[in-house]
Each structure stands twice: as structure tokens, then as C-alpha cells.
Amino acid sequence: NNLKASLSNLWRGPESLLEALRKFEFLLNTSSKSLKQKFQKNYDLHRIKKKLHLVNTAKEDLTELLKNKSEVFTGLFVVKVKKMQDFMLLKADKLLKLLKELVVSHLDSSITDLEQLNTEINNTLKHQPSNLEELHEIKTFIQSHLSDKVQLIKEESARVFENISVLEEFKHEVDLELHLRAWLCFAFPKEILQIRKKCLSTIFKY
């Protein structure tokens, strides 16, 4: 019984280390390809942020647990952990990079959509009607659709900055051009209302 107890105690060290490492298994089990496909198909900033937190915390905890040691002493056993730690940290970095790239890609796409919508609105409001039918179309657009489109731009612009906020939280430097385009989108509603005012003063001359 004493021998059995002694052997059990000897194994307790390695088993404790193994148990401590189990919380990081998800890093190895997470497929970059499937993760990318999942969020490309159904983009969800909230879930991406949670995943970023999860991976980032795991990276910090793993570093703290092994403290960049090449070996860990557990009782009479010496466990070589350097390669394992490097591999898991590399996997964490790849996942973090992938998740942030997904946010950047969505951000760029959202800004492009807003720019296109703004251009369409501007073209409609600045168009000089050549007949009564065109004049009626512009009036109908202003009375029935413009308000909703401006509200949409406001809401989507807010989402753009939510994406930027997440990137900045996880130490990703947002491209200056992308940042500038985002701020320009934020200013679109005010500019549209100014163009609308000019448009109204023009069309009521007809």
C-alpha cells in the first residue's frame, strides 16, 4: 500500500500539469479554415469579440503557467515543454490574426457599401430633372425614402466604429485610410441633409 501510495504521489505532478494544460486544448482543436468559413458566412462581431477574448486570455495564461521555461519539474519528473508551448502560442497568434483579419475585411466591405449608398443618394438629389416625371421621382424619393436611407447610414456607421473599437481593443492598428473613410461615412448624413436642402429649393422652382 505504501508503494502504491508513493507511485501515486509520483504521478500526481505530471497529472497536475496535464490537467492544467487541458484548458488550452481548444487552441489545437480549433480549425482556422472552419472558423474563417463560419464567420464569413455569418458575421457576428459579438461572437468574434468573445472568441478574441478567449484566445487572448489562453495565450496570456499559457505564458504565465509555463513562464517561457524549456522544462517543468513535477516531483521526480522533468517535462520538456518548450516545443509544446511554442506550438500552442503560435496557434493562438494565428487564430488572433485570423479573427482580426475577418473584422478588417468586414469593416472594409461595410464602408464600401456606405460609400456606394451615399453616392447613389447624392446622384439622385443632385440630378437636374429634364421633365415632370423625373421631378416627381426626386420628390417621391425625398418624401418616402430619404429619411430611412439616412437612418440606415447612421446605424451602419455606428457599427463601423464598433468594429474599429474591437480591433483597437486587441491592439490591431487600423489602417489610416480605412479610419479616414470611416469618419467620412460618419459625416454622410449631415452632408446629405445639406444637399437635400439645396435640392428642395431647386425642385420647387419647377
Side-chain angles (χ1 to χ4, degrees):
N1 285 338
N2 288 337
L3 178 61
K4 186 176 181 180
S6 297
L7 290 173
S8 178
N9 288 332
L10 285 175
W11 282 106
R12 195 165 296 158
E15 286 175 350
S16 296
L17 176 62
L18 183 62
E19 191 61 34
L21 290 171
R22 287 194 192 283
K23 66 182 287 189
F24 307 110
E25 275 186 329
F26 79 93
L27 292 173
L28 304 178
N29 296 333
T30 302
S31 163
S32 297
K33 183 178 179 180
S34 62
L35 188 68
K36 183 176 182 179
Q37 290 174 340
K38 173 184 175 181
F39 285 119
Q40 281 181 331
K41 184 177 181 181
N42 185 22
Y43 186 83
D44 187 326
L45 182 63
H46 178 68
R47 290 173 66 190
I48 289 177
K49 185 177 178 179
K50 284 181 67 175
K51 182 69 76 172
L52 280 165
H53 270 298
L54 183 66
V55 176
N56 198 57
T57 300
K59 180 184 175 182
E60 292 173 352
D61 290 349
L62 180 62
T63 302
E64 177 63 24
L65 175 67
L66 300 179
K67 298 184 184 298
N68 292 317
K69 295 177 181 177
S70 59
E71 299 174 337
V72 174
F73 293 88
T74 56
L76 294 179
F77 294 91
V78 179
V79 182
K80 295 187 180 298
V81 295
K82 178 63 175 169
K83 287 186 178 180
M84 176 193 66
Q85 182 187 28
D86 288 347
F87 180 76
M88 294 180 78
L89 289 177
L90 180 62
K91 183 63 183 291
D93 283 335
K94 285 182 176 179
L95 291 175
L96 289 171
K97 183 174 183 287
L98 170 64
L99 289 165
K100 286 185 276 191
E101 284 176 348
L102 284 167
V103 178
V104 171
S105 177
H106 181 80
L107 177 62
D108 184 50
S109 177
S110 297
I111 290 173
T112 298
D113 288 344
L114 283 169
E115 290 168 338
Q116 290 175 347
L117 177 57
N118 182 65
T119 298
E120 291 170 8
I121 293 171
N122 273 261
N123 288 342
T124 301
L125 295 178
K126 291 178 179 179
H127 177 69
Q128 296 297 320
S130 58
N131 53 55
L132 288 176
E133 184 180 353
E134 288 184 357
L135 178 65
H136 177 70
E137 287 176 357
I138 295 173
K139 286 182 177 180
T140 300
F141 175 77
I142 292 174
Q143 293 169 353
S144 304
H145 306 293
L146 184 59
S147 179
D148 288 342
K149 289 184 182 293
V150 170
Q151 183 59 33
L152 176 63
I153 290 176
K154 288 180 180 179
E155 292 172 0
E156 290 302 317
S157 293
R159 291 191 183 97
V160 160
F161 280 95
E162 287 175 9
N163 281 270
I164 290 176
S165 178
V166 168
L167 290 171
E168 291 177 340
E169 180 180 346
F170 290 94
K171 314 301 182 190
H172 181 89
E173 188 173 345
V174 180
D175 180 76
L176 183 60
E177 182 184 351
L178 206 58
H179 223 141
L180 177 60
R181 288 170 64 203
W183 278 109
L184 289 173
C185 289
F186 186 75
F188 284 163
K190 185 178 180 180
E191 293 171 1
I192 289 170
L193 293 179
Q194 290 172 345
I195 297 169
R196 171 184 173 273
K197 185 177 180 180
K198 291 180 180 178
C199 177
L200 288 173
S201 66
T202 300
I203 62 176
F204 280 112
K205 291 178 181 178
Y206 289 85

